[in-house]
C-alpha cells in the first residue's frame, strides 16, 4: 500500500492501484523505494516531485520516502509510470553549511545537535545518542546530510543510524550496533540461493592517512601516533605482508580525528572483503520469528561455505505485492561498486574545490636600536589564534657601535661642590729683579687745610729745669741732600736746605712743679713740593704660597645648550651578547648570527605546539653599550576563514 502526502504532510491520496512496490534499506545510508502506477490512474496528479509517500509491506510500515523528480519514468509499452523515491533522511540534503563551521572537543550529542541547527525547516530533531566521543569536526560549503553521516566515521566500534518518522518533527538516533544473532539463513530451509564474493582489492596492511593542506603543511598523524610515524599497520601484516595504502581525505583538520578514522579505515582494508548475497524466503507469513532486519547479525549455515556470523548490510524486496516472500540480503563486508566509488570521488572533488586549503606566507619583524646591559634589545611579535602551522621562524642579527645623533642638550642650573683638595706650599717661578721708575710729577705750592687756633696747655712737669727760647734768623743754606747737625742749649737739630735758622734768645730756669700755657692762633701751613720722581729697585725673588685643605662651591644658574646635530659613533663594540626567547636562553653569544632556529625555544602549550593568541619575545643583551640590528623571518601556513573581503 502507498499513501501520498503533500509537502506539508497532509494526506492527499491512497494509491490502491500501485504495483511493483519495492524498497531497499542499506545500513547507515539513505534508503530508497519505487512503485508504478497505470498511466491513466487519476491519482497520479498527487505524485508530484517532493511529495511524500508512505510505503507499507502488508501490515508493516516500512517508512516515509520522498518522490524524486529526475527518476520518474514513463513507459508507453505497458502504459505505466514508475516513481523512484528516497527516504526522508534525504531532506537533510536541502540544507547546507554555506560557510565554515567547527566543533572541537564537543561530545557527539552536542556536535549533532549543533549540526541540525543548520536546517532551514526544522524537520529533524536529535533523539538517542548511545556513543560518546570527543573529536574535532569541521565543515565548509557542504550539504548537511553527508556532514552528519560522517560524524561516527572515526568511531572504533560498530554503530547504526536509526530514526522514527511516524511523528513530526522526525527523530534521528545514533545507537550501538547489535551483536545479537537474530536469525539463520540455512540452505534447504529458507535460502534459495547464496553467493560468496571475496574481493582482494582493495586490501592494505599499512595506511598513510592525510588530511587538509598541501606539501609540508598537509595534515598527518605523526604527532599523535605513539610510534611517531606517518603510518599505522594492521595486525595482518605478517599474514599478507606490507601492502601500502595512501588515504587522503581533506575534510579532516585534526590529527586525533584523522588517526581514529585511519584505524577504522584500516580495519576495513586489512583483509579481503567477503560479501554474501543471499536470496531468502520470508517465512514470517508462516509464523517464523526470524527477522533479517538491516544491522542485525545473521548466521549463515551452508555445507560448502561453512558456518559464519555476519551483519546484514542491506535488506531489499523487489515486489511487495507480486513476490512478497522474496528477500535479497547483502551480508558481510560492503563492497564498493563503481557507482559508490564515483559518488565518493565526486564528493571529495567538491570538497577540494570549496575547502580553504590555505597558503604559506612569509612575514618579517625588523629591529634596529641602541642597547646596553641594562636596556636590552627586545623584539616582540604576535602569533594569531587561527594560525595553522609555523613552518620556520629564524633570527638574523648583528651588533655594531653605539650611535648618537647630537653632542649637547639643554640643562638646568645647580650648585656643584668640587671634591676636597689638600693644601700645601706652592712656590712660584723665580722672577728677576730690576729698577722701575714711576712717571714724573710736577711740583707746586700746596696749602694744608686750615686749622683753628687755640690755647694748648702742656702736661705738668716737676723738678728743677730750664727753658731755652729761639727766634728765626733766616734759612739754612744747605744742599737738598745735606743734613747738618746743630746744637743749641744742649739740644741737637738736623737742618737741611730751606730750614729756618734760629738763634737762642734767652734761657730760663725753673724749680718745682708747674705748667705752661701756649696760645696758637688760627693758621694754615704752606709747603712747596718740587718736581720729582721715584726710583724702585726690585731684586730677583720668588713667592711661597701656603694653600690649606679646601673645597669649592660652584653655582650654575638655569641655562640651555645649543644642540650640535650629527651622527656620532663610539669606537668600541660589545664583545658578546645573551639571547633569550620567551625566557629560554639560546646557546649563542656571538655578536652576529644568521639562520638561527627559534622554534625550539618558543613557549609551547600542553600539546607541544607553539602557543597561539599571545605575544612572543626575543631579547638580545650586549655586554656593553652598542647597537643591535635584527630581523625575524617566519613562514606561516594560514587559512582564510575569518574576516571579510575589504
Amino acid at each position: 500500500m502507498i499513501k501520498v502526502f503533500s509537502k506539508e504532510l497532509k494526506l492527499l491520496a491512497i494509491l490502491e492501484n500501485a504495483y511493483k512496490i519495492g524498497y531497499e534499506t542499506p545500513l547507515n545510508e539513505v534508503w530508497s523505494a519505487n512503485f508504478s502506477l497505470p498511466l491513466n490512474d487519476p491519482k497520479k496528479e498527487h505524485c508530484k516531485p517532493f511529495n511524500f509517500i508512505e510505503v507499507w509491506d502488508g501490515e508493516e510500515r516500512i517508512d516515509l520516502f520522498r518522490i524524486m523528480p529526475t527518476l520518474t519514468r514513463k513507459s508507453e509499452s505497458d502504459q505505466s509510470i514508475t516513481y523512484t523515491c528516497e527516504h526522508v533522511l534525504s531532506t537533510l540534503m536541502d540544507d547546507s553549511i554555506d560557510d565554515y563551521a567547527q566543533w572541537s572537543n564537543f561530545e557527539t550529542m552536542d556536535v549533532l545537535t549543533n549540526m541540525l541547527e543548520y536546517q532551514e525547516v526544522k524537520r529533524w530533531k536529535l533523539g538517542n545518542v548511545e556513543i560518546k566521543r570527543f573529536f574535532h569536526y569541521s565543515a565548509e560549503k557542504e550539504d548537511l546530510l553527508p556532514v552528519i553521516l560522517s560524524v561516527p566515521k572515526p568511531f572504533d566500534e560498530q554503530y547504526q543510524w536509526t530514526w522514527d518518522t511516524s511523528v513530526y518533527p522526525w527523530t534521528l538516533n545514533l545507537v550501538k550496533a547489535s551483536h545479537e544473532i537474530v536469525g539463520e539463513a540455512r540452505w534447504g530451509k529458507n535460502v534459495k540461493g547464496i553467493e560468496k564474493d571475496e574481493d582482494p582489492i582493495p586490501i592494505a596492511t599499512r595506511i598513510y592517512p592525510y588530511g587538509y593542506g598541501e606539501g609540508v603543511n598537509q595534515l598527518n598523524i605523526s604527532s599523535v601516533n605513539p610510534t611517531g610515524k606517518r603510518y599505522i599497520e594492521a595486525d595482518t601484516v605478517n599474514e599478507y605482508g606490507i601492502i601500502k595504502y595512501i588515504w587522503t581525505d581533506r575534510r579532516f583538520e585534526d590529527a586525533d580525528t584523522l588517526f581514529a578514522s585511519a584505524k577504522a579505515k584500516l580495519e576495513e582494508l586489512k583483509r579481503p572483503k567477503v560479501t554474501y548475497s543471499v536470496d531468502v524466503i520470508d517465512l514470517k507469513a508462516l509464523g517464523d520469528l526470524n527477522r533479517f532486519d538491516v544491522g542485525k547479525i545473521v548466521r549463515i549455515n551452508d555445507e560448502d561455505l561453512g558456518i559464519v556470523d555476519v551483519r546484514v548490510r542491506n535488506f531489499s524486496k523487489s515486489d511487495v505485492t507480486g513476490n512478497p516472500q522474496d528477500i535479497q540480503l547483502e551480508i558481510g563486508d560492503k563492497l564498493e561498486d563503481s557507482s559508490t566509488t564515483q559518488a565518493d570521488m565526486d564528493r571529495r572533488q567538491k570538497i577540494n574545490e570549496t575547502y580553504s586549503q590555505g597558503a604559506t606566507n612569509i612575514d618579517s619583524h625588523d629591529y634596529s636600536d641602541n642597547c646596553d646591559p641594562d636596556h636590552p634589545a627586545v623584539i616582540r611579535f604576535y602569533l594569531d589564534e587561527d594560525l595553522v602551522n609555523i613552518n620556520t621562524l629564524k633570527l638574523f642579527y648583528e651588533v655594531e657601535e653605539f650611535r648618537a645623533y647630537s653632542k649637547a642638550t639643554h640643562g638646568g642650573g645647580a650648585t656643584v661642590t668640587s671634591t676636597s683638595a689638600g693644601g700645601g706650599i706652592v712656590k712660584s717661578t723665580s722672577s728677576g729683579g730690576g729698577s722701575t721708575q714711576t712717571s714724573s710729577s710736577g711740583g707746586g705750592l700746596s696749602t694744608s687745610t686750615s686749622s683753628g687756633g687755640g690755647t694748648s696747655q702742656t702736661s705738668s712737669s716737676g723738678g728743677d729745669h730750664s727753658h731755652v727760647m729761639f727766634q728765626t734768623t733766616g734759612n739754612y743754606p744747605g744742599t737738598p741732600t745735606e743734613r747738618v747737625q746743630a746744637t743749641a742749649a744742649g739740644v741737637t737739630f738736623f737742618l737741611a736746605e730751606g730750614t729756618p735758622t734760629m738763634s737762642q734768645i734767652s734761657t730760663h730756669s725753673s724749680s718745682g712743679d708747674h705748667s705752661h700755657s701756649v696760645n696758637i692762633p688760627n693758621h694754615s701751613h704752606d709747603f712747596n713740593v718740587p718736581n720729582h720722581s721715584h726710583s724702585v729697585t726690585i731684586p730677583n725673588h720668588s713667592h711661597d704660597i701656603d694653600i690649606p685643605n679646601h673645597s669649592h662651591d660652584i653655582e650654575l644658574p638655569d641655562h640651555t645648550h645649543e644642540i650640535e646635530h650629527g651622527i656620532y659613533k663610539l669606537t668600541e663594540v660589545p664583545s658578546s651578547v645573551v639571547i633569550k626567547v620567551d625566557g629560554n636562553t639560546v646557546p649563542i653569544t656571538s655578536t652576529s648570527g644568521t639562520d638561527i632556529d627559534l622554534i625550539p625555544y618558543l613557549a609551547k602549550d600542553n600539546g607541544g605546539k607553539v602557543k597561539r593568541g599571545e605575544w612572543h619575545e626575543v631579547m638580545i643583551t650586549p655586554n656593553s653599550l652598542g647597537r643591535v640590528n635584527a630581523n625575524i623571518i617566519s613562514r606561516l601556513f594560514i587559512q582564510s576563514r575569518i574576516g571579510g573581503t575589504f
Side-chain angles (χ1 to χ4, degrees), residues 550-566:
H550 64 283
S551 63
H552 305 275
D553 289 338
I554 304 171
E555 183 175 354
L556 299 178
D558 288 343
H559 60 284
T560 60
H561 301 275
E562 293 295 328
I563 296 175
E564 182 178 352
H565 296 286

Side-chain angles (χ1 to χ4, degrees), residues 27-45:
L27 178 65
N28 296 329
E29 295 183 25
V30 178
W31 294 0
S32 62
N34 59 273
F35 67 96
S36 297
L37 279 178
L39 194 57
N40 59 359
D41 192 324
K43 293 185 179 180
K44 68 179 182 181
E45 67 176 354

Side-chain angles (χ1 to χ4, degrees), residues 519-535:
N519 185 35
I520 300 173
N522 291 337
H523 63 280
S524 62
H525 304 276
D526 291 333
F527 57 92
N528 187 39
V529 180
N531 293 337
H532 64 280
S533 64
H534 305 274
S535 294

Side-chain angles (χ1 to χ4, degrees), residues 54-107:
E54 192 174 63
V55 177
W56 289 74
D57 186 356
E59 298 298 322
E60 181 185 0
R61 180 181 182 272
I62 302 304
D63 223 314
L64 195 63
F65 298 81
R66 183 168 66 166
I67 300 173
M68 301 308 295
T70 59
L71 299 177
T72 300
R73 298 187 301 272
K74 293 183 180 180
S75 174
E76 296 293 339
S77 60
D78 59 2
Q79 296 294 304
S80 67
I81 182 169
T82 300
Y83 302 91
T84 301
C85 311
E86 290 183 341
H87 191 270
V88 291
L89 187 64
S90 64
T91 57
L92 291 172
M93 293 287 290
D94 298 348
D95 295 293
S96 63
I97 299 175
D98 59 359
D99 201 349
Y100 176 77
Q102 177 176 307
W103 300 270
S104 298
N105 204 32
F106 287 88
E107 64 176 84

